[in-house]
Structure formats: structure tokens, C-alpha cells
Amino acid sequence: MAETTEKPSLNFIEQIIEKDLASDKWGGRVQTRFPPEPNGYLHIGHAKSICLNFGLAQKYNGSFNLRFDDTNPIKEEDEYVEAIENDIRWLGYDLDGKVLFASDYFEQFYDHAITLIKKGLAYVCDLSSEETREYRGTLTAPGKDSPYRNRTVEENLDLFERMRAGEFPDGSKTLRAKIDMASPNLNMRDPVMYRILHAHHHRSGDKWCIYPMYDWAHGLEDSIENVTHSICTLEFENHRPLYDWFLDQLGVFHSQQIEFARLNLGYTVMSKRKLLELVRDKHVRGWDDPRMPTIRGFKRRGYTPSSIRTFCERIGVARMNSRIDIAVLENCIREDLNKRAPRVMCVLDPLKVVIENYPEGQTEEMDAVNNPEDESAGSRKIPFSRELYIERSDFMEDAPKKFFRLAPGREVRLRYAYFVTCTDVIKNDAGEVIELRCTYDPATRGGDSPDGRKVRGTIHWVSAHHAADIEVRLYDRLFNEENPDKTPEGKSWLDAMNPESLTTKANCKLESSWIEAANAVSWPDGINRVQFERTGYFCVDQDSSDDKPVFNRTVTLRDSWAKIQSKS
RNA sequence: UGGCCCGUGGUGCAAUUGGUAGCACGUCUGACUCUGGAUCAGAAGGUUCUAGGUUCGAGCCCUAGCGGGCCAGCCA
């Protein structure tokens, strides 16, 4: 195995770029861009695109533009442009204050349209939208020419000017490219370039009442910005001939469009329309609901920017439609948080334990390591006393052999504290366990037995009188179907929603040391993340207040006991 | 009885562009462990969609078939 020359396997886009660099196609330049429409929040699929485009520019010493593709005033709002910028910055990409808008190019688009009209390659059409559809033909049948197709250049020029001037009502006229109504590619059947829309634009205001269509505008945006590699998703593949046609006819700088497969993640949806519907109809609490696959959702859930970047690199770039297993993302966040998150003990489902042979009213300070993966994180003191809480699931009355935790007569270690043995089980009238009686071995202080006695289990705990009451929100997949987009006959994708995607635990008990040190732990994005030992990674939610801290579970720890259980 | 694109272990991607397949995640073993975490070591798992063809040699090229995706907004 010769591993001296590790060849850096390139994805297909990198291969194209390196070939272009070798042939000096673009004079050594690499210019990419990310062109969101400001009509919604960014999701993890957009993160893939941002990482790709930004990463390529970085890798090849090129540059990257954030450009808002704001050509439809009806759907676009400033709220979204701010949100998108924030999300991109949070992801860790510095924009250098350079933010571009397609709407700034409207005048140039207009001039180019005039050029096309003069070349006899565009005409004003009076067909209604329904008529336009009828004339377009179908996938298998060719379309037919619009009766307005052969207007003279002079007439077209005049009409187009008057369209801009606002002489005609919405929908009454369009400017269309004159290409080929019989093309097997429907995009080439005289596509609409401009529609009349007397609408207020979030940036250009009321200056325009005609707005360019995507196909007409997009290539020009790329051309104006001298974009070399215009990377978009697969559904634009059929549009490439048109993209090329416009730029060719105009003879302007011709960027190369390259398509890749968009990201699909298991057990969630990624379309803007569906995400919007989830928010609008209150199936989730908002765009930043921790169950949402939006950037803000992941942020609020406790994901780190670097974990998302790692994820985007790990999933690769290709042209095959695929669906990524959510486990890959979870692995990325665990990997990051394992190294960075301070540990703390928190009991999610408290069961009271009384240490019968421990002096009443006594409290001891136990030493606890803050992060075994990071020595510099230091250690802390945690209070131990006679009355404690442990996790209800850490006790079993009839425990199987493989259960290494507490059970009648069994001894376990309370992490960083003592060995305890369960001596009695107290139940209520309904037969439910409400309290445990235990004895402790004073010789095991700190968690080791001088006689060399071993225990299989170590469980977490908190001192009852010292613990803070907190609320914890546990999240699960938003959908029960791996692919909610594929709904069975007569069902809606909403039927696939998981009714248990959010579980709120109102009476959790958190180690008091964390409350005291809370603000000492600072993460660059201001989100406070911790590991609750043995249960998972959590972060402080924005709903938190001093008297009622609220935590979100980012992701569980890998749990081999759960695996053993699910097998039986 | 349309056009374009895609088919490699369970999943996602590689394979020096024609020299008989590698990585990651997942799965399973074992070691270690004061988190049933982390870490470490190892294993299983692929007739590269099918059938032909070209070639000394095909995951890579050609043909046909099968399967999947996208397209009939005055959305992007």
C-alpha cells in the first residue's frame, strides 16, 4: 500500500474547474456565486450550495458573490434578505460587505432586451397566460406560433417601451424570445422574458412595472458579474440551452452553468413551499423551530456552524438524486460537540433517592471533570447530599443481567461521588416506584473503592436540594416517513408528520454548578451548549429565563443500551 | 408516440480518465473506560441495473433494454 501520494479525489465540478484552469479558459479566474431568492429562509440544502460555491472560490483562489435573485416583487421581502445574510454569516462565511442584487441590473436587462428585439429575436405577445399555455403544446406535441410572433421590430420596440411605461395592465402583454415553438425542450418554445406586474419591489420600489423572468435574468446576472462557473441544481438542467441561447445571441460574457443534485435528507422535507406551509399553518413554531431543516432551526437546535460545514463536505457533490441518512449529520454534530461541549449532570426524568446512612443536613463538594476530551476545560465542584435524584430509567426492579444500573441489592457508582446500593423500593398506591432507599460506602468517595471492588454501572445524579428546575425539550424526526414527498394514494405529505417530534419535560433537575457558571461558557455565536452526561448534547433555548431555564436537545449520545433493548 | 439527466456494498461518495473496486456513515465483534459516551483494533457486506458489443483487458467506450429523476408558471 503506497500511501505516500494520496491523490485528492475531486468531485466532478472540481474536475471541470481544474480542466478550465489547465486550458486557461477563464484566464485563471474562478468566480462563483450563491443566488437565493429572498422569499424564504435558508435550509440545509442551501448550506450545501453555499459551502460548495464558497469552498470552490476559496480553494481555487477565486471569489464568491452573494447575489439576491430578486426578480419577482410579489414574493420577495427585505426580512428575508436580512435573514439570509445572517444565516450565511453564522455558517462562517464572510461576505466582506459584498452583497449584490439582481434588481440593480434591471436597466441593463432592459437594454439587452431592446437589443434582442432589434435583432428580431424577441417580440411582444398579447396572448393571455392561458392562451400561452395552449399555444405551447405538450411534452409530446409541438406548440404553435403566437399570432403576434411576426410583429415588426418597430412595433415591438414601441410596444415594449409602452409596457415599461405602464400603459398596459398586468398580464395583458409579455415580451417573448423568438426561438422555436417545436423544440422538444419546452423552455425553448418562445419563453417569456418579461411580464407586466404593477407591484412594489422591495428595493426598486415602483420604478418598474415589468419584471424579468428567471431564465432571462439569471444568465445575465452571471454574465454581468463575470461568474465563471454558475452552479445550480439539477432541475435547471433543461434550462441550460436557454441560458446559453440568451448569452450567445447577445454576445456577452458567457458563464458556464453546471448542475448538481440538491440535498435530500431523510425524514424531513426540503422544499421552500412545504417549509413555508409548516410555518404558516403552525405545524411547527416558526422558521427557527429546532425541528426544521432550516439553518435557523439547526442553530436553535444547537448545531454548530462547523458541524454543518463538515456535513456539507462529507456528503459530496454529484449528479445523482440521493437522500442522505440523517445519521451522517448527527455524526458530524456529535463529533464536534464531543470535543467542545462542557459536561454537566442533568436528570431528565427524576426519581428520588435517599441515602439512608448519609448524615442528614450534610453536604460535600465533589470534583468533576468538565470535559474529558479537553483538559483545558478544567474541573468543577458539585454538591452531594443525602437526598438525590437519579434518572428513572437508571433503575429497574426486575433487572436483566445485562442491565448495569441500579436495581434492588445492586451496587452502582454515582459519577464522581460514591458507590451506592439499593436497599428498598418505595411505591405509591398505584404501584409506581416513587423513591429509592440506598446506602453508600463512605470509603468510595470520589468514585473508587480502596478494596478494588468494581461496579459495572456509573450513573448520573444531582443533589435534590441543590438542583435547578429546568425545562428540557426533546426533539425527534419531524416525519415518520423517510421520504415524506412520496405520499401514498389519497394521503398528504402532512399525514406523514410525527406527532411526537417534540416532547417537553418540565421538571428536569440540573446540576447547580452549571447555573452558577452559565455565562462563563461562551460560544462564538452566543449559543450555550453542553453535554448532559449520558443523555446527549443540549443548548440553552432563547425562551430561557433566569427563573426558568429551557434547554433543547441537540442530539442524543450514541446509546448502546438502547440498541441492546431494541433488539429484544 | 417527446427531450434531457442519472444507475458502483444498507446509505452517501471515490476509482490516477481503459489495467478486475476504495473511503465515510451505518452494521457486527473485541479492547479500554468513573459517560453503556469518547477512543482503539478488527470483521462482514459489491456478478459496478440487465443483455449484447468494441478491446489483450470495461465500473469507465458503443448499442438496446430496464429502473429512477426533471420539464407543459406571465415562479425561481
Side-chain angles (χ1 to χ4, degrees), chain A residues 31 88 113 119 124 174 191 245 248 262 282 291 308 370 376 415 496 526 568:
Chain A
Q31 171 74 57
I88 293 175
K119 290 180 81 169
V124 172
T174 56
W245 188 88
D248 285 341
R262 70 178 333 139
K282 309 257 193 289
R291 294 166 291 180
I308 291 176
N370 285 335
S376 71
R415 175 145 238 231
S568 55

Side-chain angles (χ1 to χ4, degrees), chain A residues 4 35-36 53 56 162 297 300 335 340 354 379 384 397 539-540:
Chain A
T4 38
N53 281 291
L56 252 16
R162 291 162 60 194
R300 189 167 178 185
E335 201 176 286
R340 306 212 272 155
V354 176
S379 65
F384 183 86
E397 207 170 1
C539 71
V540 179

Side-chain angles (χ1 to χ4, degrees), chain A residues 399-405 410 456 561 564 567:
Chain A
K401 280 202 180 56
K402 292 242 198 150
F403 186 77
F404 302 148
R405 311 175 190 179
R410 288 203 198 169
R456 273 312 287 273
W561 169 243
I564 291 168
K567 266 193 270 183

Side-chain angles (χ1 to χ4, degrees), chain A residues 214-266:
Chain A
Y214 169 86
D215 287 306
W216 167 238
H218 206 86
L220 289 175
E221 294 162 23
D222 289 335
S223 179
I224 289 166
E225 293 174 14
N226 285 304
V227 167
T228 55
H229 304 270
S230 174
I231 299 164
C232 62
T233 44
L234 248 26
E235 66 268 27
F236 292 103
E237 203 169 351
N238 294 327
H239 295 245
R240 188 174 359 117
L242 182 53
Y243 180 103
D244 290 336
W245 188 88
F246 281 131
L247 297 179
D248 285 341
Q249 299 308 320
L250 258 11
V252 295
F253 179 83
H254 194 147
S255 319
Q256 181 184 1
Q257 176 177 307
I258 301 168
E259 312 87 17
F260 72 101
R262 70 178 333 139
L263 168 66
N264 293 299
L265 250 193

Side-chain angles (χ1 to χ4, degrees), chain A residues 90-285:
Chain A
W90 177 77
L91 273 175
Y93 298 107
D94 185 13
L95 270 14
D96 276 346
K98 198 167 93 180
V99 178
L100 305 169
F101 292 86
S103 52
D104 288 342
Y105 312 143
F106 281 175
E107 199 67 51
Q108 294 175 71
F109 297 165
Y110 183 83
D111 291 343
H112 280 126
I114 299 287
T115 303
L116 244 35
I117 292 171
K118 285 181 177 163
K119 290 180 81 169
L121 294 172
Y123 62 97
V124 172
C125 181
D126 295 5
L127 254 26
S128 69
S129 57
E130 299 78 52
E131 290 167 327
T132 304
R133 191 190 338 116
E134 284 161 23
Y135 275 74
R136 186 156 35 229
T138 68
L139 294 177
T140 49
K144 53 184 183 192
D145 290 358
S146 160
Y148 306 98
R149 198 174 202 257
N150 293 314
R151 290 216 249 229
T152 63
V153 169
E154 292 67 33
E155 193 181 2
N156 283 321
L157 246 21
D158 173 60
L159 256 14
F160 187 51
E161 258 169 52
R162 291 162 60 194
M163 275 171 68
R164 176 180 182 170
E167 286 188 31
F168 310 113
D170 288 3
S172 60
K173 285 180 167 45
T174 56
L175 182 73
R176 296 227 257 160
K178 192 193 278 192
I179 307 179
D180 177 10
M181 289 307 291
S183 171
N185 183 339
L186 304 222
N187 295 125
M188 301 298 273
R189 321 244 258 230
D190 289 11
V192 172
M193 295 164 63
Y194 278 97
R195 74 283 215 187
I196 299 173
L197 244 33
H198 291 269
H200 187 81
H201 186 275
H202 75 114
R203 297 192 80 245
S204 63
D206 298 312
K207 183 177 179 194
W208 295 86
C209 62
I210 56 172
Y211 290 92
M213 297 289 289
Y214 169 86
D215 287 306
W216 167 238
H218 206 86
L220 289 175
E221 294 162 23
D222 289 335
S223 179
I224 289 166
E225 293 174 14
N226 285 304
V227 167
T228 55
H229 304 270
S230 174
I231 299 164
C232 62
T233 44
L234 248 26
E235 66 268 27
F236 292 103
E237 203 169 351
N238 294 327
H239 295 245
R240 188 174 359 117
L242 182 53
Y243 180 103
D244 290 336
W245 188 88
F246 281 131
L247 297 179
D248 285 341
Q249 299 308 320
L250 258 11
V252 295
F253 179 83
H254 194 147
S255 319
Q256 181 184 1
Q257 176 177 307
I258 301 168
E259 312 87 17
F260 72 101
R262 70 178 333 139
L263 168 66
N264 293 299
L265 250 193
Y267 300 98
T268 190
V269 292
M270 211 69 92
S271 94
K272 270 192 187 177
R273 200 204 92 225
K274 286 177 179 167
L275 259 17
L276 178 64
E277 195 173 332
L278 288 175
V279 173
R280 201 217 309 121
D281 297 342
K282 309 257 193 289
H283 294 107
V284 295
R285 294 177 174 180

Side-chain angles (χ1 to χ4, degrees), chain A residues 515-561:
Chain A
I515 298 294
E516 288 141 22
N519 300 320
V521 186
S522 71
W523 293 70
D525 58 1
I527 296 191
N528 224 324
R529 301 172 176 88
V530 288
Q531 182 194 102
F532 291 169
E533 296 224 23
R534 304 209 305 135
T535 61
Y537 296 98
F538 295 75
C539 71
V540 179
D541 188 76
Q542 61 200 40
D543 288 346
S544 231
S545 64
D546 284 346
D547 28 293
K548 201 193 88 178
V550 178
F551 284 76
N552 293 318
R553 184 172 69 194
T554 308
V555 67
T556 60
L557 256 30
R558 289 177 75 226
D559 185 351
S560 52
W561 169 243

Side-chain angles (χ1 to χ4, degrees), chain A residues 267-269 278 476-482 484 493-498 501:
Chain A
Y267 300 98
T268 190
V269 292
L278 288 175
D476 198 355
R477 52 182 58 148
L478 235 199
F479 291 86
N480 285 321
E481 295 294 325
E482 185 172 20
W493 59 281
L494 289 164
D495 295 330
M497 286 194 76
N498 176 12
S501 58

